[in-house]
Amino acid sequence: MNKRSLKPGTMLYPLPAVIVSCGTSVDDSNLVTVAWTGTVCTHPAMCYISLRPTRHSYPIIRQNMQFTINLTTEAMARATDWIGVRSGADYNKWKETGLTPAPGVAVECPYVAESPVAIECRVKSILPLGSHHLFIAEVVNVLADENLFDPETDAFRLDLAGLINYTHGHYYSQGNPLGRFGFSVMKKKKQK
């Protein structure tokens, strides 16, 4: 296939579209939409978010050294987008979107009650990279909706959450499953 060169840019898609909550109480908290986020380590569990220093949430996270990553769903898509295009300096994003702040468990900042999974984090380091700064954080607690656990096996079923992702300026719901990890090398079961 023929390829066309593009200017250097961030073309690694899809990305999770998450809402990050920050602050030390419901009254002083803010929400920011982030797509530049991911896992960096298993043991200890660590993740990152990347923010511009000009964002209203940046000094809040820098001062408190904690935040919560709230996974988003199709039902939360409008709120996720609105939070990303409006500033917490001008709006109370909880009130404007109708999302519900719930008190943090292992961190002081609230999490989004409507989120199927809230990942509470403590910042370990901040790495200035240019337009964005990378907040590397240890996961200190994960809150997951009870309805995501299979009632018979207690298996965690995140695939039932209706998560959304972000791809080159657009939000998408997750597609059809293609196989589970390792499906390409699994041995087929013998027919009886």
Side-chain angles (χ1 to χ4, degrees), residues 180 183 185-192:
R180 69 180 290 146
F183 81 98
V185 296
M186 287 180 148
K187 294 182 181 180
K188 293 185 179 183
K189 291 182 180 179
K190 294 181 180 180
Q191 301 266 335
K192 291 183 178 181

Side-chain angles (χ1 to χ4, degrees), residues 101-136:
V105 174
V107 295
E108 294 174 291
C109 57
Y111 65 90
V112 177
E114 292 80 2
S115 173
V117 176
I119 305 164
E120 296 181 321
C121 303
R122 291 197 190 280
V123 176
K124 291 301 200 183
S125 63
I126 304 168
L127 182 61
L129 298 172
S131 65
H132 288 69
H133 291 187
L134 190 71
F135 288 82
I136 300 172

